[in-house]
Amino acid sequence: MIDPAELVDNLVATLRDIPDLVAEMTGDTERIYAYHDSYPKKVSLAHAIHQMQVPAIMAVWQGTAPGSFGGMDVWKHQLTLYLRARETLSGDPPTAYYRLFRLITKGIPAAQGIAMLNVTVHPSCYPMDLPMIQRQTDAEGLDYFEVPITFTEIGDE
């Protein structure tokens, strides 16, 4: 089994390599980042979501589960991207979250030259399964979106 922290870091690096996605983050690659659990400093994902800047994308490992792929037993790694879109100004179309989701799935990392859905983020994993996007609400009642992503390992490292 691979170290999921490597997968999260590789995903962040790959997302940072999509020029249009970085532009949505006001040109700041640091607004696309990983959250790694680290006791006692980072022990609350809810708190980390609440403290996200606007705009930002935070990548988090949610867990790993056994699965099957082509008749083989494999590991499936569950990651989630938490999204806070940039401010929508008067006259802007209301497409900020739609655009982020499209760039996460169809954006083209400069080093890869192919859409994210087909990118090998980690050499021991297949490209991501088709993700979904869903609305969530934080403790203050503010909405944000999350994109759960699954990566299936190729065999067992």
Side-chain angles (χ1 to χ4, degrees), residues 10-11 16-17 24 26 32-33 42 47 56 61 65 67 72 75 79 83 93 96 98-99 102 105 139-140 147:
N10 286 9
L11 178 59
R16 286 178 174 176
D17 197 35
E24 288 294 313
T26 66
I32 303 171
Y33 60 96
K42 292 184 178 179
H47 186 66
W61 173 63
M72 294 177 44
W75 294 109
L79 277 58
L83 314 178
Y98 312 126
R99 182 163 169 76
R102 179 162 179 78
T105 58
E140 290 186 1
V147 179

Side-chain angles (χ1 to χ4, degrees), residues 29-129:
T29 59
E30 297 299 312
R31 289 181 178 254
I32 303 171
Y33 60 96
Y35 172 88
H36 295 291
D37 297 285
S38 176
Y39 184 82
K41 294 179 182 177
K42 292 184 178 179
V43 294
S44 173
L45 179 57
H47 186 66
I49 292 168
H50 178 72
Q51 289 187 323
M52 287 178 69
Q53 295 180 341
V54 174
I57 298 174
M58 180 172 60
V60 178
W61 173 63
Q62 296 287 15
T64 298
S68 64
F69 186 83
M72 294 177 44
D73 291 334
V74 294
W75 294 109
K76 292 186 172 263
H77 303 283
Q78 306 293 320
L79 277 58
T80 301
L81 298 176
Y82 292 92
L83 314 178
R84 296 265 192 202
R86 64 178 170 78
E87 180 181 356
T88 304
L89 303 175
S90 179
D92 285 350
T95 60
Y97 283 108
Y98 312 126
R99 182 163 169 76
L100 289 178
F101 184 61
R102 179 162 179 78
L103 289 168
I104 289 165
T105 58
K106 299 286 189 177
I108 300 175
Q112 304 285 335
I114 58 174
M116 273 300 291
L117 284 173
N118 301 312
V119 169
T120 300
V121 171
H122 190 285
S124 294
C125 292
Y126 293 105
M128 72 172 89
D129 293 350

